Amino acid sequence: MNPNIGNLYKIANQPIRTIIGLMSGTSFDGLDVALCEFTGTGTNTSVKVKNFITKEYSAEFKEEIKSIFAKKEVDLKKTTVLNAFIGCYYAELIQECLTEWEISNKEVDLIASHGQTIFHAPKHLHPHDGYGNATLQIGDADHLAVKSGIITLSDFRQKHIAAGGEGAPLAVYGDYLIFSDAVENRIMLNVGGIANFTYLPAGKADQFFSTDVGPGNTLMDQYVQANYPGLYYDKDSELALQGKVNQVLLHALLDHSFFVAPFPKTTGPELFNLAYLDNAMHKSGQVNLSSNDILATLACFSANAIINAIETTIATTGSFEIYVSGGGMYNPLLISYIEKHFSKKIKSTTYLGINPDAKEAVLFALLANEAVAGNAESLKSTVGIPRVFMGKISFPQ
């Protein structure tokens, strides 16, 4: 037997598995690194986050990724070399973390790497070309496995698409297995570049639901980066709070077929970008707004997309609590709109025992745990959520 297969079999049968989850989102803040300890699988999963850090990217690296991100035409040579480079770069960042945490590579069983999304293309974004759902994440896992000496799972979204999904949102798997509750109806809201949520009805495991809802931070971040040199986002809504919501522009932003398409659905910055904003401004005749007013309106736009999706899908099902994660949780203006509408305080996932900044990295570690040690009953099959094991395996030798 190939010794790598034997090692993987051993890991699958261990009572405890130590897995590093990696997440790099569309905001390019840095690499989230979560060192997790798993026992059990499926609904018997227990996870403990032993260490977590976000390794910030340099400004130069951010610009390199931005140059090939969410564009229909890019430099293919740069994309190719970045694919290998990012895998090696992740290995370096992991080594820094392990050194800081005084943990040896041999103490880690698996790495679960999301990679860096550079294009997400659900069918509704290209309805007439004869192709299906597609997505692309780079950061080659063979390079990561060889450099780190640790078995690595990656490219999780491809299996989801192959099994009939759109490649997103994948948070639903971890949300269901970690956060389901017998008494409380829960909305697990993630406000990253794109906003999505999972609805977990109390004691009704066969009725959970997950969907993207529209832009989270992406339009605000893109606008800040284009108009405020040196800034990457509107910290604490400081700029937006100096502006006023323009209702005419807000209406134009919400006037798109995506928002009336049936749930569940996915989207990305490929749709919600500065061209989308520019089109809405010209269509509504609001081309002379101040930057502050535009940012205030964009925050309200993201909040409305979230509110409308919740209202449309689950608000009539009874009381619920909202638990938030993602960079948007630090946007007080956006969060205040949602809290005001539903007349409730939004809590972070800290209340449920998971650092909200670490949540997505933890969820990919969970997918690796399921892929290696799970069984066919780990997840109920429901609309838009294929019951599959995800992740391609890269051996270090």
Side-chain angles (χ1 to χ4, degrees), residues 378-393:
S378 293
L379 189 69
K380 302 284 185 182
S381 220
T382 190
V383 176
I385 306 173
R387 187 168 73 180
V388 290
F389 298 116
M390 290 169 279
K392 297 170 183 172
I393 299 172

Side-chain angles (χ1 to χ4, degrees), residues 154-393:
S154 66
D155 218 13
F156 296 90
R157 297 187 186 275
Q158 298 301 333
K159 177 66 77 65
H160 191 270
I161 291 175
E166 293 189 357
L170 298 190
V172 57
Y173 294 89
D175 287 343
Y176 165 66
L177 295 178
I178 298 176
F179 299 117
S180 294
D181 189 75
V183 177
E184 185 177 73
N185 295 321
R186 292 175 172 172
I187 293 175
M188 308 305 300
L189 174 63
N190 182 67
V191 188
I194 296 298
N196 60 69
F197 71 81
T198 301
Y199 175 55
L200 302 169
K204 298 177 181 178
D206 60 335
Q207 296 180 24
F208 66 96
F209 172 84
S210 186
T211 186
D212 283 351
V213 302
N217 306 315
T218 186
L219 268 173
M220 292 179 284
D221 290 351
Q222 289 178 57
Y223 187 82
V224 168
Q225 291 165 24
N227 292 275
Y228 295 88
L231 296 183
Y232 282 90
Y233 66 100
D234 183 11
K235 185 178 180 181
D236 298 325
S237 311
E238 290 178 359
L239 299 170
L241 285 168
Q242 298 175 46
K244 294 182 179 179
V245 175
N246 183 287
Q247 293 295 331
V248 179
L249 176 57
L250 177 62
H251 178 78
L253 289 166
L254 289 165
D255 184 22
H256 190 278
S257 58
F258 172 81
F259 295 109
V260 296
F263 294 97
K265 53 192 172 184
T266 68
T267 190
E270 296 77 13
L271 172 61
F272 293 110
N273 50 38
L274 293 181
Y276 184 94
L277 171 62
D278 187 65
N279 180 64
M281 291 175 69
H282 280 85
K283 184 171 68 174
S284 62
Q286 306 300 304
V287 294
N288 296 312
L289 299 179
S290 70
S291 293
N292 299 110
D293 287 352
I294 290 171
L295 284 167
T297 306
L298 290 176
C300 191
F301 174 39
S302 291
N304 269 265
I306 294 166
I307 291 165
N308 293 343
I310 293 174
E311 290 278 13
T312 301
T313 57
I314 63 176
T316 60
T317 61
S319 63
F320 55 83
E321 294 298 322
I322 301 176
Y323 297 92
V324 68
S325 59
M329 68 178 288
Y330 301 111
N331 185 315
L333 183 59
L334 186 156
I335 295 298
S336 71
Y337 286 133
I338 303 170
E339 289 182 329
K340 182 178 180 181
H341 180 86
F342 290 113
S343 300
K344 63 172 75 251
K345 185 72 174 176
I346 294 177
K347 305 171 186 175
S348 84
T349 55
T350 301
Y351 284 83
L352 303 179
I354 297 291
N355 178 340
D357 295 326
K359 184 188 170 209
E360 285 195 284
V362 172
L363 294 180
F364 282 98
L366 180 141
L367 291 181
N369 186 61
E370 288 298 311
V372 170
N375 60 67
E377 299 304 315
S378 293
L379 189 69
K380 302 284 185 182
S381 220
T382 190
V383 176
I385 306 173
R387 187 168 73 180
V388 290
F389 298 116
M390 290 169 279
K392 297 170 183 172
I393 299 172

